[in-house]
Amino acid sequence: MMDSVKITIPSHPKYLSVVRALVSRMGELSEMSEASIDKVKLAVDEACSNVIKYAYKGDAGKRIAVEFRITQEGFEVTIEDSGIKANPELIEGRSLDEVKPGGLGIHLIKRAFDVLAFDERKKKGNRLRLIRYKRGDNED
Amino acid sequence: MKIEVIDYKGKKVMEVSGEIDMHASPSLRKELMSLVSKKTTPLLVDLKGVSYIDSSGIATFVEGLKGMMAFGGKLKLASIPAGVMEIFNFSKLDKVFEIYGDLDDAVNS
């Protein structure tokens, strides 16, 4: 059996809290630790924020689809938009040793998920797939 | 998110509570940069009631710190909850900001 939940939110930052609430519940259902849920929640929030900022350039009138799947291997999140295509090669955060605003989000996504991949088959917009494999008991 | 600016033991304190995300950060930025532009120093920020922060919130505080440093002012963060502190640690900003266990420690520093 595969458990999955999909929501579609308007591309307005006020709906990010709805996504975070759902991540928390899905994380609990997948028996993640509280620390892991916090990391995953922040990572999904950052990925959706990036859609609003870069794919939709702040246009709040678009849609973002977020799907959560609990699998045997772990936890998957797919985030889809119909905005400007991301160039994965240009997605690089600032060095964590640099002190400047911005560039932290991608690091927060990468620390929570083992796989971060844009689906190249998607013609218009972006489909970002994030996978977090199950951890051991004391690993977050 | 809620922001209140109060006077505490002769110091200006910005009390922030709730969730600081991409939706809330512009209000935080407006309030913080307004105090920075008035050269309010030291400015103490009490984060006791903050339950969540994302990279836009962190970026806002970095911007505030840079604005303060530009004129030799001080921005001091106090009472950071563990979950929020974890993000400061991860981003190595715990070594950049002046961080105090509670507001009185910040006032007396």
Side-chain angles (χ1 to χ4, degrees):
Chain A
M1 184 186 79
M2 193 196 303
D3 295 333
S4 71
V5 171
K6 187 172 183 176
I7 57 162
T8 303
I9 58 160
S11 56
H12 189 292
K14 69 182 174 187
Y15 291 101
L16 292 171
S17 63
V18 176
V19 175
R20 293 199 297 272
L22 192 52
V23 175
S24 289
R25 301 303 297 166
M26 290 301 285
E28 282 168 24
L29 290 175
S30 73
E31 298 177 346
M32 256 186 241
S33 69
E34 206 175 310
S36 295
I37 290 172
D38 285 346
K39 283 181 185 162
V40 169
K41 185 166 65 175
L42 179 55
V44 175
D45 179 308
E46 295 287 347
C48 292
S49 295
N50 283 345
V51 169
I52 297 171
K53 251 188 292 185
Y54 302 115
Y56 290 142
K57 300 277 182 203
D59 183 345
K62 306 288 185 183
R63 309 289 290 180
I64 306 171
V66 188
E67 183 175 14
F68 304 92
R69 294 163 70 189
I70 299 168
T71 67
Q72 297 263 319
E73 292 77 33
F75 192 68
E76 283 187 34
V77 183
T78 305
I79 300 169
E80 283 191 66
D81 65 69
S82 58
I84 300 163
K85 272 227 173 288
N87 182 346
E89 286 172 17
L90 296 179
I91 298 174
E92 198 179 316
R94 68 166 163 85
S95 158
L96 288 174
D97 292 316
E98 272 179 84
V99 180
K100 63 175 191 181
L104 178 61
I106 190 70
H107 292 292
L108 295 168
I109 298 170
K110 283 182 174 171
R111 76 169 183 162
F113 288 97
D114 302 297
V115 175
L116 183 161
F118 283 95
D119 186 345
E120 290 173 8
R121 293 167 302 174
K122 188 166 167 72
K123 294 270 190 300
K124 189 177 181 298
N126 301 285
R127 184 184 295 121
L128 175 64
R129 192 162 170 237
L130 302 168
I131 303 173
R132 179 184 173 89
Y133 297 118
K134 274 190 179 149
R135 308 292 205 255
D137 282 348
N138 295 313
E139 293 174 78
D140 294 318
Chain B
M1 183 196 67
K2 267 178 64 181
I3 300 173
E4 273 189 75
V5 180
I6 60 161
D7 289 303
Y8 180 73
K9 296 185 177 175
K11 302 282 196 297
K12 198 62 90 180
V13 178
M14 200 166 105
E15 287 184 334
V16 189
S17 59
E19 297 189 319
I20 308 175
D21 64 0
M22 190 192 185
H23 181 48
S25 288
S27 309
L28 175 66
R29 184 180 180 279
K30 192 177 166 195
E31 196 71 53
L32 180 62
M33 295 318 285
S34 156
L35 291 164
V36 170
S37 67
K38 289 177 195 151
K39 299 193 174 176
T40 310
T41 185
L43 174 61
L44 280 48
V45 183
D46 186 347
L47 296 168
K48 189 171 59 211
V50 173
S51 54
Y52 178 83
I53 192 164
D54 75 351
S55 66
S56 71
I58 295 285
T60 303
F61 286 119
V62 171
E63 196 182 343
L65 178 66
K66 291 211 155 186
M68 279 291 194
M69 287 165 73
F71 68 90
K74 293 266 188 193
L75 180 68
K76 301 179 180 192
L77 308 182
S79 309
I80 305 181
V84 174
M85 191 65 209
E86 196 266 325
I87 312 299
F88 277 92
N89 293 340
F90 173 75
S91 52
K92 298 188 179 178
L93 292 171
D94 54 327
K95 296 177 184 72
V96 176
F97 283 96
E98 281 191 46
I99 296 174
Y100 297 90
D102 62 35
L103 200 51
D104 284 316
D105 285 347
V107 168
N108 297 326
S109 63

